[in-house]
Amino acid sequence: MPLGGEQVPQNLDAVAVRAWCGLALDALGGAREEIDAINVYPVADGDTGTNLYLTMEAASQAVDAAFTGLEPSRPSLAEAVRAMAHGALIGARGNSGTILSQLLRGMAQVLGADRDTDHAGGPVLALALRRAAESAYQAVERPVEGTVLTVATAAADAALDAEGDCGTVARAAYDRACLALDATPGQLAVLGRAGVVDAGGRGLVAVLGALVEALSGETVRLRTLRTTPQSGHARVEPRVMPVECQETPPDATAPAFEVIYLLEADDTAVARLRTRLDGLGDSLVVVGGDGLWNVHVHVDDAGAAVEAGVEAGRPHRIRITHFGVGDAHTAGAAQPQRERAQRAIVAVVPGEGLAGLYAEAGATTVPARPGEPPASGELVEAVRRAHAREVVLLPNDAELRHTAAAAAEQARTEGVRVALIPTRSAVQGIAALAVHEPDRRFDEDVVAMTSAAGATRYAELAVAERQSWTMAGICQAGDVLGLIDGDVAVIGDDTTRTARSVLDRMLAAGGEMVTLVLGEDVPDSLGDELEKHVREAHLAVDTVVYRGGRQSALLLIGVE
Protein backbone atom coordinates (compact mmCIF):
# COMPACT_ATOMS: atom_id res chain seq x y z
CA MET A 1 0.00 0.00 0.00
CA PRO A 2 1.23 3.55 -0.64
CA LEU A 3 2.44 5.33 2.47
CA GLY A 4 -0.25 7.43 4.13
CA GLY A 5 -2.61 6.86 1.17
CA GLU A 6 -0.56 9.19 -1.02
CA GLN A 7 0.88 8.46 -4.44
CA VAL A 8 4.31 6.89 -3.99
CA PRO A 9 7.04 8.32 -6.27
CA GLN A 10 8.47 6.08 -8.94
CA ASN A 11 11.63 8.18 -9.00
CA LEU A 12 13.89 8.67 -6.02
CA ASP A 13 13.71 12.00 -4.21
CA ALA A 14 14.34 13.19 -0.64
CA VAL A 15 10.88 12.10 0.54
CA ALA A 16 11.41 8.63 -0.92
CA VAL A 17 14.83 8.41 0.77
CA ARG A 18 13.21 9.22 4.09
CA ALA A 19 10.48 6.64 3.51
CA TRP A 20 13.08 4.05 2.51
CA CYS A 21 15.09 4.59 5.68
CA GLY A 22 12.00 4.25 7.85
CA LEU A 23 10.80 1.11 6.06
CA ALA A 24 14.29 -0.42 6.14
CA LEU A 25 14.47 0.22 9.87
CA ASP A 26 11.10 -1.47 10.37
CA ALA A 27 12.16 -4.43 8.22
CA LEU A 28 15.45 -4.89 10.07
CA GLY A 29 13.66 -4.51 13.40
CA GLY A 30 11.25 -7.28 12.46
CA ALA A 31 14.05 -9.55 11.20
CA ARG A 32 16.64 -8.67 13.85
CA GLU A 33 16.31 -11.79 16.01
CA GLU A 34 16.12 -14.03 12.95
CA ILE A 35 19.31 -12.52 11.49
CA ASP A 36 21.09 -12.71 14.85
CA ALA A 37 20.23 -16.41 15.01
CA ILE A 38 21.90 -17.25 11.67
CA ASN A 39 25.02 -15.16 12.30
CA VAL A 40 27.96 -17.57 11.97
CA TYR A 41 30.42 -15.59 9.82
CA PRO A 42 32.95 -14.03 10.31
CA VAL A 43 32.30 -14.62 14.04
CA ALA A 44 29.31 -16.47 15.46
CA ASP A 45 28.56 -13.71 17.97
CA GLY A 46 24.82 -13.51 17.25
CA ASP A 47 24.61 -9.74 16.72
CA THR A 48 24.51 -9.09 12.96
CA GLY A 49 20.79 -8.28 12.95
CA THR A 50 21.19 -5.96 15.92
CA ASN A 51 24.19 -4.20 14.38
CA LEU A 52 22.40 -3.70 11.07
CA TYR A 53 19.37 -2.31 12.89
CA LEU A 54 21.44 0.15 14.94
CA THR A 55 23.33 1.33 11.85
CA MET A 56 20.11 1.86 9.91
CA GLU A 57 18.59 3.61 12.91
CA ALA A 58 21.42 6.14 12.89
CA ALA A 59 20.96 6.69 9.13
CA SER A 60 17.21 7.15 9.52
CA GLN A 61 17.62 9.63 12.37
CA ALA A 62 20.08 11.67 10.32
CA VAL A 63 17.63 11.89 7.40
CA ASP A 64 14.79 12.85 9.75
CA ALA A 65 17.01 15.61 11.16
CA ALA A 66 17.59 16.93 7.64
CA PHE A 67 13.83 17.48 7.34
CA THR A 68 13.47 19.35 10.64
CA GLY A 69 14.26 22.92 11.59
CA LEU A 70 12.66 26.13 12.77
CA GLU A 71 10.32 26.04 9.79
CA PRO A 72 8.89 23.28 7.59
CA SER A 73 11.65 22.26 5.23
CA ARG A 74 12.42 19.68 2.60
CA PRO A 75 16.03 18.89 1.77
CA SER A 76 17.26 18.17 -1.72
CA LEU A 77 17.97 14.62 -2.83
CA ALA A 78 21.70 15.28 -2.43
CA GLU A 79 21.23 16.56 1.14
CA ALA A 80 19.05 13.60 2.09
CA VAL A 81 21.40 10.91 0.79
CA ARG A 82 24.43 12.62 2.30
CA ALA A 83 22.67 12.78 5.65
CA MET A 84 21.80 9.08 5.33
CA ALA A 85 25.40 8.14 4.56
CA HIS A 86 26.85 10.34 7.30
CA GLY A 87 24.42 9.01 9.89
CA ALA A 88 25.26 5.43 8.97
CA LEU A 89 29.00 6.16 9.12
CA ILE A 90 28.70 7.72 12.59
CA GLY A 91 26.44 4.98 13.91
CA ALA A 92 27.92 1.91 12.17
CA ARG A 93 28.11 -1.15 14.43
CA GLY A 94 30.00 -4.37 13.88
CA ASN A 95 31.33 -5.83 10.66
CA SER A 96 27.91 -5.92 8.99
CA GLY A 97 26.90 -2.40 10.01
CA THR A 98 30.20 -0.99 8.83
CA ILE A 99 29.75 -2.57 5.40
CA LEU A 100 26.13 -1.35 5.23
CA SER A 101 27.33 2.19 5.95
CA GLN A 102 29.75 1.95 3.01
CA LEU A 103 27.01 0.63 0.73
CA LEU A 104 24.90 3.67 1.61
CA ARG A 105 27.89 5.96 1.16
CA GLY A 106 28.54 4.52 -2.30
CA MET A 107 24.93 5.18 -3.29
CA ALA A 108 25.17 8.73 -1.93
CA GLN A 109 28.26 9.42 -4.05
CA VAL A 110 26.17 8.89 -7.19
CA LEU A 111 22.75 10.14 -6.05
CA GLY A 112 24.22 13.23 -4.43
CA ALA A 113 26.57 14.15 -7.26
CA ASP A 114 24.14 16.64 -8.85
CA ARG A 115 23.13 19.21 -6.23
CA ASP A 116 20.59 20.83 -8.59
CA THR A 117 18.53 17.69 -9.24
CA ASP A 118 15.63 16.94 -6.91
CA HIS A 119 15.11 13.37 -8.09
CA ALA A 120 16.88 10.47 -9.77
CA GLY A 121 15.54 8.04 -12.36
CA GLY A 122 16.06 4.34 -12.83
CA PRO A 123 19.42 4.48 -14.64
CA VAL A 124 20.94 6.69 -11.94
CA LEU A 125 19.66 4.37 -9.19
CA ALA A 126 21.27 1.44 -11.03
CA LEU A 127 24.60 3.27 -11.15
CA ALA A 128 24.25 4.07 -7.45
CA LEU A 129 23.76 0.40 -6.59
CA ARG A 130 26.81 -0.48 -8.71
CA ARG A 131 28.92 2.14 -6.93
CA ALA A 132 27.65 0.83 -3.58
CA ALA A 133 28.85 -2.70 -4.32
CA GLU A 134 32.22 -1.50 -5.65
CA SER A 135 32.91 0.75 -2.67
CA ALA A 136 31.98 -2.01 -0.22
CA TYR A 137 34.49 -4.37 -1.85
CA GLN A 138 37.14 -1.68 -1.65
CA ALA A 139 36.45 -1.09 2.04
CA VAL A 140 36.95 -4.74 3.01
CA GLU A 141 40.65 -5.62 3.19
CA ARG A 142 40.17 -9.28 2.27
CA PRO A 143 36.79 -9.75 0.51
CA VAL A 144 35.14 -13.18 0.75
CA GLU A 145 32.46 -14.49 -1.62
CA GLY A 146 29.24 -15.87 -0.20
CA THR A 147 28.77 -12.78 1.96
CA VAL A 148 26.85 -9.52 1.78
CA LEU A 149 29.39 -8.36 -0.82
CA THR A 150 28.24 -11.11 -3.18
CA VAL A 151 24.58 -10.23 -2.62
CA ALA A 152 25.27 -6.52 -3.22
CA THR A 153 27.08 -7.27 -6.49
CA ALA A 154 24.27 -9.48 -7.75
CA ALA A 155 21.73 -6.78 -6.95
CA ALA A 156 23.82 -4.18 -8.78
CA ASP A 157 24.19 -6.39 -11.86
CA ALA A 158 20.42 -6.89 -12.06
CA ALA A 159 19.80 -3.17 -11.61
CA LEU A 160 22.08 -2.33 -14.54
CA ASP A 161 20.28 -4.90 -16.71
CA ALA A 162 16.83 -3.55 -15.84
CA GLU A 163 15.03 -0.92 -17.90
CA GLY A 164 12.46 1.42 -16.41
CA ASP A 165 11.89 3.74 -13.48
CA CYS A 166 13.33 3.42 -9.99
CA GLY A 167 10.61 1.05 -8.85
CA THR A 168 11.43 -1.37 -11.68
CA VAL A 169 15.18 -1.14 -11.02
CA ALA A 170 14.74 -1.68 -7.29
CA ARG A 171 12.53 -4.73 -7.86
CA ALA A 172 15.08 -6.28 -10.21
CA ALA A 173 17.85 -5.69 -7.68
CA TYR A 174 15.78 -7.21 -4.88
CA ASP A 175 14.82 -10.32 -6.84
CA ARG A 176 18.42 -11.02 -7.86
CA ALA A 177 19.63 -10.38 -4.31
CA CYS A 178 17.21 -13.05 -3.05
CA LEU A 179 18.66 -15.58 -5.49
CA ALA A 180 22.22 -14.63 -4.56
CA LEU A 181 21.38 -14.96 -0.88
CA ASP A 182 20.02 -18.47 -1.37
CA ALA A 183 23.29 -19.45 -3.05
CA THR A 184 25.56 -18.28 -0.21
CA PRO A 185 25.59 -21.62 1.70
CA GLY A 186 27.20 -23.16 -1.38
CA GLN A 187 29.84 -20.45 -1.64
CA LEU A 188 31.07 -20.24 1.94
CA ALA A 189 31.81 -23.51 3.72
CA VAL A 190 30.98 -22.27 7.21
CA LEU A 191 27.48 -21.35 6.02
CA GLY A 192 27.05 -24.69 4.30
CA ARG A 193 28.04 -26.60 7.46
CA ALA A 194 25.58 -24.59 9.57
CA GLY A 195 22.86 -24.77 6.93
CA VAL A 196 22.22 -21.03 6.89
CA VAL A 197 22.44 -18.14 4.48
CA ASP A 198 24.76 -15.21 5.12
CA ALA A 199 23.35 -13.02 7.88
CA GLY A 200 24.66 -9.75 6.41
CA GLY A 201 23.24 -10.65 3.01
CA ARG A 202 19.90 -11.43 4.64
CA GLY A 203 19.92 -7.94 6.12
CA LEU A 204 20.72 -6.35 2.78
CA VAL A 205 17.78 -8.19 1.21
CA ALA A 206 15.55 -6.61 3.86
CA VAL A 207 16.94 -3.15 3.05
CA LEU A 208 16.41 -3.65 -0.69
CA GLY A 209 12.87 -4.90 -0.06
CA ALA A 210 12.21 -1.67 1.81
CA LEU A 211 13.51 0.29 -1.19
CA VAL A 212 11.01 -1.51 -3.44
CA GLU A 213 8.19 -0.63 -1.06
CA ALA A 214 9.26 3.02 -0.74
CA LEU A 215 9.39 3.48 -4.52
CA SER A 216 6.48 1.40 -5.78
CA GLY A 217 4.22 0.95 -2.78
CA GLU A 218 4.45 -2.80 -3.28
CA THR A 219 4.63 -4.67 0.02
CA VAL A 220 7.53 -7.12 -0.12
CA ARG A 221 7.03 -10.27 1.89
CA LEU A 222 10.38 -11.39 3.21
CA ARG A 223 10.50 -15.10 3.84
CA THR A 224 11.00 -16.22 7.43
CA LEU A 225 13.77 -18.71 8.18
CA ARG A 226 12.82 -21.64 10.39
CA THR A 227 15.15 -22.81 13.16
CA THR A 228 16.32 -26.39 13.43
CA PRO A 229 16.25 -27.78 16.98
CA GLN A 230 19.48 -29.71 16.41
CA SER A 231 21.75 -26.78 15.68
CA GLY A 232 19.85 -23.80 16.97
CA HIS A 233 20.52 -22.05 13.65
CA ALA A 234 17.89 -20.99 11.14
CA ARG A 235 17.90 -23.28 8.10
CA VAL A 236 16.92 -22.06 4.63
CA GLU A 237 14.84 -24.01 2.16
CA PRO A 238 16.85 -23.01 -0.94
CA ARG A 239 15.09 -22.09 -4.18
CA VAL A 240 18.20 -22.75 -6.28
CA MET A 241 20.74 -25.55 -6.23
CA PRO A 242 23.88 -24.40 -4.39
CA VAL A 243 27.24 -24.61 -6.08
CA GLU A 244 29.86 -26.87 -4.54
CA CYS A 245 31.14 -25.61 -1.20
CA GLN A 246 34.54 -23.99 -1.07
CA GLU A 247 36.39 -25.87 1.63
CA THR A 248 37.73 -23.40 4.12
CA PRO A 249 39.34 -24.90 7.21
CA PRO A 250 37.71 -23.80 10.45
CA ASP A 251 39.65 -21.16 12.35
CA ALA A 252 40.36 -22.42 15.83
CA THR A 253 42.38 -19.35 16.78
CA ALA A 254 40.01 -16.50 15.97
CA PRO A 255 40.95 -13.09 17.42
CA ALA A 256 39.59 -12.30 20.86
CA PHE A 257 38.51 -8.67 20.40
CA GLU A 258 36.41 -6.59 18.05
CA VAL A 259 37.65 -2.98 17.89
CA ILE A 260 35.63 -0.17 16.33
CA TYR A 261 36.27 3.55 16.34
CA LEU A 262 35.64 6.72 14.39
CA LEU A 263 38.84 8.27 13.09
CA GLU A 264 39.65 11.77 11.91
CA ALA A 265 42.60 11.36 9.52
CA ASP A 266 43.73 12.06 5.97
CA ASP A 267 43.82 9.50 3.15
CA THR A 268 47.56 8.88 3.37
CA ALA A 269 47.44 8.10 7.08
CA VAL A 270 44.46 5.77 6.57
CA ALA A 271 46.35 3.84 3.88
CA ARG A 272 49.17 3.23 6.37
CA LEU A 273 46.63 2.30 9.04
CA ARG A 274 45.08 -0.35 6.79
CA THR A 275 48.46 -2.02 6.39
CA ARG A 276 49.16 -1.88 10.11
CA LEU A 277 45.78 -3.29 11.15
CA ASP A 278 45.85 -5.99 8.48
CA GLY A 279 48.98 -7.32 10.16
CA LEU A 280 47.33 -7.28 13.58
CA GLY A 281 44.15 -9.20 12.85
CA ASP A 282 41.36 -9.92 10.36
CA SER A 283 37.85 -8.82 9.32
CA LEU A 284 39.32 -5.39 8.61
CA VAL A 285 36.83 -2.89 7.20
CA VAL A 286 37.63 0.82 6.84
CA VAL A 287 34.83 3.00 5.48
CA GLY A 288 34.30 6.73 5.03
CA GLY A 289 36.29 9.54 3.49
CA ASP A 290 36.67 13.31 3.49
CA GLY A 291 38.62 13.15 6.73
CA LEU A 292 36.20 10.96 8.74
CA TRP A 293 36.44 7.17 8.82
CA ASN A 294 34.87 4.24 10.64
CA VAL A 295 37.41 1.52 11.45
CA HIS A 296 36.48 -2.08 12.29
CA VAL A 297 38.89 -4.96 12.96
CA HIS A 298 39.13 -8.23 14.90
CA VAL A 299 42.41 -8.53 16.85
CA ASP A 300 44.03 -10.20 19.84
CA ASP A 301 45.77 -6.98 20.92
CA ALA A 302 43.03 -4.37 21.21
CA GLY A 303 45.45 -1.80 22.61
CA ALA A 304 47.67 -2.04 19.56
CA ALA A 305 44.67 -1.49 17.27
CA VAL A 306 43.72 1.67 19.14
CA GLU A 307 47.35 2.89 19.22
CA ALA A 308 47.50 2.48 15.45
CA GLY A 309 44.50 4.78 15.20
CA VAL A 310 46.20 7.36 17.45
CA GLU A 311 49.23 7.32 15.15
CA ALA A 312 47.00 7.84 12.11
CA GLY A 313 44.86 10.65 13.50
CA ARG A 314 42.27 11.21 16.23
CA PRO A 315 40.20 8.17 17.15
CA HIS A 316 37.05 8.61 19.22
CA ARG A 317 33.89 6.67 20.10
CA ILE A 318 36.16 3.69 20.71
CA ARG A 319 34.27 0.44 21.32
CA ILE A 320 36.04 -2.77 22.29
CA THR A 321 34.13 -6.04 22.57
CA HIS A 322 35.60 -9.28 23.90
CA PHE A 323 33.99 -12.13 21.98
CA GLY A 324 32.07 -14.34 24.38
CA VAL A 325 32.53 -11.93 27.29
CA GLY A 326 30.77 -8.68 26.32
CA ASP A 327 31.86 -5.08 26.17
CA ALA A 328 35.37 -4.39 27.40
CA HIS A 329 36.37 -0.78 27.94
CA THR A 330 40.02 -1.50 28.39
CA ALA A 331 42.27 -3.72 26.33
CA GLY A 332 43.88 -6.87 27.57
CA ALA A 333 42.53 -9.83 29.48
CA ALA A 334 38.86 -9.98 30.41
CA GLN A 335 38.05 -8.30 33.69
CA PRO A 336 36.51 -10.40 36.49
CA GLN A 337 32.75 -10.09 36.80
CA ARG A 338 31.80 -7.47 39.39
CA GLU A 339 28.67 -7.55 41.47
CA ARG A 340 25.73 -5.66 40.03
CA ALA A 341 24.61 -2.51 41.80
CA GLN A 342 21.02 -2.47 42.92
CA ARG A 343 20.03 0.73 41.10
CA ALA A 344 21.51 3.20 38.62
CA ILE A 345 20.55 6.27 36.62
CA VAL A 346 21.31 6.51 32.89
CA ALA A 347 20.86 9.96 31.35
CA VAL A 348 21.35 11.60 27.94
CA VAL A 349 23.15 14.87 28.58
CA PRO A 350 24.04 17.78 26.23
CA GLY A 351 27.34 19.39 27.15
CA GLU A 352 30.43 18.33 29.06
CA GLY A 353 29.64 20.51 32.07
CA LEU A 354 26.24 18.94 32.55
CA ALA A 355 27.75 15.50 32.03
CA GLY A 356 30.07 16.21 34.95
CA LEU A 357 27.16 17.38 37.09
CA TYR A 358 25.15 14.25 36.34
CA ALA A 359 28.19 12.03 36.94
CA GLU A 360 28.75 13.64 40.35
CA ALA A 361 25.18 12.66 41.19
CA GLY A 362 26.05 9.07 40.30
CA ALA A 363 24.49 8.88 36.83
CA THR A 364 25.91 7.06 33.82
CA THR A 365 25.81 9.59 30.99
CA VAL A 366 25.36 9.40 27.22
CA PRO A 367 26.50 12.50 25.29
CA ALA A 368 24.01 14.29 23.04
CA ARG A 369 25.94 16.07 20.30
CA PRO A 370 24.34 18.73 18.07
CA GLY A 371 22.80 17.02 15.07
CA GLU A 372 23.84 13.56 16.31
CA PRO A 373 21.18 12.19 18.67
CA PRO A 374 22.24 8.93 20.31
CA ALA A 375 20.83 5.72 18.87
CA SER A 376 19.04 3.16 21.01
CA GLY A 377 22.16 0.98 20.92
CA GLU A 378 24.18 3.67 22.71
CA LEU A 379 21.55 3.81 25.45
CA VAL A 380 21.58 0.01 25.80
CA GLU A 381 25.36 0.08 26.11
CA ALA A 382 25.09 2.74 28.82
CA VAL A 383 22.61 0.55 30.72
CA ARG A 384 25.11 -2.30 30.50
CA ARG A 385 27.90 -0.04 31.75
CA ALA A 386 25.76 0.99 34.70
CA HIS A 387 25.73 -2.73 35.65
CA ALA A 388 22.68 -2.55 37.87
CA ARG A 389 19.61 -4.67 38.50
CA GLU A 390 17.36 -1.60 38.28
CA VAL A 391 17.87 1.39 35.97
CA VAL A 392 16.06 4.70 35.66
CA LEU A 393 16.45 6.10 32.14
CA LEU A 394 16.31 9.87 31.54
CA PRO A 395 16.28 10.75 27.78
CA ASN A 396 16.12 14.53 28.48
CA ASP A 397 14.75 15.20 24.99
CA ALA A 398 11.22 14.79 23.63
CA GLU A 399 12.63 13.56 20.31
CA LEU A 400 14.38 10.66 22.05
CA ARG A 401 11.29 9.16 23.65
CA HIS A 402 10.86 6.35 21.12
CA THR A 403 14.61 5.69 20.97
CA ALA A 404 14.74 5.44 24.76
CA ALA A 405 11.68 3.18 24.81
CA ALA A 406 13.38 0.80 22.36
CA ALA A 407 16.53 0.77 24.49
CA ALA A 408 14.52 0.10 27.63
CA GLU A 409 12.76 -2.82 25.97
CA GLN A 410 16.08 -4.30 24.83
CA ALA A 411 17.59 -3.94 28.31
CA ARG A 412 14.57 -5.69 29.83
CA THR A 413 15.20 -8.71 27.62
CA GLU A 414 18.66 -8.85 29.23
CA GLY A 415 17.17 -9.09 32.71
CA VAL A 416 17.41 -5.44 33.77
CA ARG A 417 14.41 -3.74 35.34
CA VAL A 418 14.13 -0.41 33.52
CA ALA A 419 11.87 2.56 34.19
CA LEU A 420 11.72 5.28 31.54
CA ILE A 421 10.94 8.78 32.81
CA PRO A 422 10.01 10.90 29.75
CA THR A 423 12.11 13.94 30.60
CA ARG A 424 12.16 16.47 27.76
CA SER A 425 15.04 18.65 28.94
CA ALA A 426 18.22 18.26 30.96
CA VAL A 427 16.77 20.60 33.61
CA GLN A 428 13.89 18.17 34.16
CA GLY A 429 16.53 15.46 34.58
CA ILE A 430 18.28 17.59 37.20
CA ALA A 431 15.01 17.92 39.10
CA ALA A 432 14.51 14.16 38.98
CA LEU A 433 18.06 13.52 40.19
CA ALA A 434 17.56 15.90 43.11
CA VAL A 435 14.88 13.67 44.66
CA HIS A 436 16.48 10.33 43.73
CA GLU A 437 16.96 8.05 46.75
CA PRO A 438 18.57 4.69 45.90
CA ASP A 439 17.55 3.15 49.23
CA ARG A 440 13.88 3.74 48.53
CA ARG A 441 11.72 1.06 46.87
CA PHE A 442 12.18 1.19 43.10
CA ASP A 443 8.56 2.07 42.30
CA GLU A 444 8.49 4.80 44.95
CA ASP A 445 11.75 6.27 43.68
CA VAL A 446 10.48 6.32 40.09
CA VAL A 447 7.22 7.99 41.13
CA ALA A 448 9.07 10.68 43.09
CA MET A 449 11.51 11.35 40.22
CA THR A 450 8.69 11.42 37.66
CA SER A 451 6.70 13.88 39.78
CA ALA A 452 9.71 16.18 40.20
CA ALA A 453 10.45 16.14 36.46
CA GLY A 454 6.81 16.71 35.54
CA ALA A 455 6.56 19.67 37.92
CA THR A 456 9.50 21.38 36.19
CA ARG A 457 8.74 23.69 33.28
CA TYR A 458 11.65 24.07 30.89
CA ALA A 459 12.85 26.70 28.46
CA GLU A 460 15.76 27.23 26.11
CA LEU A 461 17.37 30.17 24.36
CA ALA A 462 18.54 29.67 20.79
CA VAL A 463 19.64 31.83 17.87
CA ALA A 464 17.48 31.74 14.72
CA GLU A 465 19.36 30.45 11.69
CA ARG A 466 16.92 31.82 9.11
CA GLN A 467 13.72 33.79 8.71
CA SER A 468 10.73 31.67 9.67
CA TRP A 469 7.23 31.62 11.11
CA THR A 470 6.94 30.78 14.80
CA MET A 471 4.25 30.66 17.47
CA ALA A 472 5.40 34.14 18.53
CA GLY A 473 5.48 35.65 15.04
CA ILE A 474 8.09 35.97 12.29
CA CYS A 475 11.73 35.80 13.33
CA GLN A 476 14.78 36.88 11.36
CA ALA A 477 18.16 35.17 11.12
CA GLY A 478 20.19 36.12 14.20
CA ASP A 479 17.19 36.77 16.46
CA VAL A 480 17.29 35.33 19.96
CA LEU A 481 14.43 32.88 20.46
CA GLY A 482 12.99 31.93 23.82
CA LEU A 483 11.35 28.49 23.64
CA ILE A 484 9.09 27.51 26.55
CA ASP A 485 8.14 23.82 26.74
CA GLY A 486 9.38 23.40 23.18
CA ASP A 487 7.46 26.28 21.52
CA VAL A 488 8.83 29.71 20.58
CA ALA A 489 7.30 32.16 23.07
CA VAL A 490 9.64 35.19 22.84
CA ILE A 491 11.57 36.76 19.96
CA GLY A 492 14.26 39.28 20.90
CA ASP A 493 17.49 40.87 19.79
CA ASP A 494 19.36 40.63 23.10
CA THR A 495 20.18 37.52 25.11
CA THR A 496 19.74 39.07 28.56
CA ARG A 497 16.44 40.83 27.81
CA THR A 498 15.03 37.73 26.09
CA ALA A 499 16.05 35.54 29.02
CA ARG A 500 14.41 37.92 31.51
CA SER A 501 11.19 37.91 29.48
CA VAL A 502 11.16 34.12 29.39
CA LEU A 503 11.74 33.91 33.14
CA ASP A 504 8.93 36.36 33.88
CA ARG A 505 6.50 34.37 31.74
CA MET A 506 7.43 31.12 33.41
CA LEU A 507 7.30 32.51 36.95
CA ALA A 508 3.94 34.21 36.35
CA ALA A 509 2.37 30.83 37.10
CA GLY A 510 4.42 30.47 40.28
CA GLY A 511 7.59 28.65 41.18
CA GLU A 512 10.02 28.02 44.02
CA MET A 513 13.31 27.22 42.27
CA VAL A 514 14.94 28.44 39.05
CA THR A 515 17.73 26.42 37.44
CA LEU A 516 19.97 28.14 34.88
CA VAL A 517 22.42 26.23 32.68
CA LEU A 518 24.80 28.53 30.79
CA GLY A 519 26.28 27.50 27.44
CA GLU A 520 29.98 27.63 26.64
CA ASP A 521 29.88 31.05 24.94
CA VAL A 522 27.68 32.71 27.56
CA PRO A 523 29.53 34.91 30.11
CA ASP A 524 29.12 34.34 33.84
CA SER A 525 27.68 37.84 34.06
CA LEU A 526 24.46 36.62 32.39
CA GLY A 527 23.89 34.19 35.24
CA ASP A 528 24.56 36.94 37.77
CA GLU A 529 22.14 39.33 36.06
CA LEU A 530 19.36 36.75 35.81
CA GLU A 531 19.86 35.65 39.41
CA LYS A 532 19.57 39.30 40.51
CA HIS A 533 16.44 39.75 38.39
CA VAL A 534 14.74 36.74 39.97
CA ARG A 535 15.69 37.90 43.46
CA GLU A 536 14.29 41.41 42.92
CA ALA A 537 11.21 40.63 40.82
CA HIS A 538 10.10 37.30 42.26
CA LEU A 539 10.31 37.08 46.03
CA ALA A 540 11.01 33.75 47.78
CA VAL A 541 12.29 32.12 44.58
CA ASP A 542 15.75 30.55 44.77
CA THR A 543 18.16 30.35 41.81
CA VAL A 544 20.95 27.89 41.08
CA VAL A 545 23.39 28.34 38.18
CA TYR A 546 25.38 25.62 36.37
CA ARG A 547 27.81 25.61 33.47
CA GLY A 548 26.69 23.42 30.55
CA GLY A 549 30.06 23.46 28.80
CA ARG A 550 30.84 22.74 25.17
CA GLN A 551 27.99 21.48 22.94
CA SER A 552 25.28 22.62 25.36
CA ALA A 553 22.47 25.05 24.52
CA LEU A 554 22.92 28.83 24.72
CA LEU A 555 20.84 28.83 27.92
CA LEU A 556 18.59 26.27 29.61
CA ILE A 557 16.02 27.36 32.18
CA GLY A 558 14.06 25.19 34.58
CA VAL A 559 11.33 26.37 36.96
CA GLU A 560 10.09 24.09 39.72
Side-chain angles (χ1 to χ4, degrees), residues 55-150:
T55 303
M56 198 68 227
E57 181 183 49
S60 181
Q61 288 178 341
V63 175
D64 286 343
F67 275 81
T68 60
L70 297 175
E71 62 179 1
S73 61
R74 175 172 168 174
S76 66
L77 173 62
E79 290 170 334
V81 295
R82 287 186 185 127
M84 173 185 69
H86 181 72
L89 175 67
I90 296 295
R93 301 302 176 92
N95 186 74
S96 55
T98 306
I99 293 174
L100 174 61
S101 75
Q102 188 68 359
L103 288 167
L104 297 179
R105 179 180 175 82
M107 293 188 69
Q109 288 173 339
V110 174
L111 296 172
D114 189 346
R115 295 173 181 265
D116 298 325
T117 300
D118 288 333
H119 64 272
V124 176
L125 176 58
L127 291 175
L129 291 169
R130 163 55 62 192
R131 178 58 191 146
E134 291 173 347
S135 62
Y137 264 98
Q138 293 165 3
V140 177
E141 192 67 21
R142 299 180 184 274
V144 174
E145 296 305 322
T147 65
V148 62
L149 299 176
T150 307

Side-chain angles (χ1 to χ4, degrees), residues 34-40 191 196-199 202 225 233-234:
E34 172 191 311
I35 297 173
D36 283 344
I38 64 171
N39 171 204
V40 297
L191 301 178
V196 299
V197 294
D198 178 67
R202 173 67 177 87
L225 310 179
H233 292 298

Side-chain angles (χ1 to χ4, degrees), residues 32 36 45 47-56 91-97 100 258 319:
R32 181 182 60 80
D36 283 344
D45 48 0
D47 64 358
T48 288
T50 300
N51 288 335
L52 288 169
Y53 177 85
L54 294 176
T55 303
M56 198 68 227
R93 301 302 176 92
N95 186 74
S96 55
L100 174 61
E258 177 184 62
R319 183 171 182 265

Side-chain angles (χ1 to χ4, degrees), residues 292-445:
L292 182 62
W293 310 80
N294 193 306
V295 178
H296 169 281
V297 67
H298 294 173
V299 293
D300 282 321
D301 189 345
V306 175
E307 289 172 5
V310 172
E311 293 175 2
R314 189 178 79 87
H316 51 105
R317 293 200 189 184
I318 300 168
R319 183 171 182 265
I320 301 172
T321 301
H322 190 294
F323 293 121
V325 175
D327 281 350
H329 298 281
T330 56
Q335 301 296 314
Q337 289 291 322
R338 58 186 174 92
E339 182 65 23
R340 283 184 178 271
Q342 182 60 35
R343 190 172 308 159
I345 308 296
V346 172
V348 180
V349 184
E352 297 166 349
L354 277 177
L357 176 66
Y358 272 74
E360 287 178 10
T364 298
T365 63
V366 178
R369 306 169 185 86
E372 296 180 19
S376 62
E378 290 182 72
L379 302 186
V380 173
E381 290 174 7
V383 171
R384 291 170 182 156
R385 290 202 311 273
H387 203 62
R389 298 181 181 88
E390 302 166 340
V391 169
V392 180
L393 184 56
L394 306 174
N396 291 340
D397 187 337
E399 298 297 323
L400 289 178
R401 187 178 67 175
H402 296 300
T403 299
E409 188 61 31
Q410 174 62 33
R412 291 184 188 115
T413 66
E414 299 177 9
V416 181
R417 188 181 183 188
V418 181
L420 171 61
I421 298 179
T423 49
R424 294 171 290 175
S425 171
V427 291
Q428 288 188 321
I430 291 173
L433 274 176
V435 301
H436 167 54
E437 292 185 12
D439 295 332
R440 197 160 41 191
R441 287 182 57 243
F442 185 63
D443 292 339
E444 294 176 355
D445 198 30

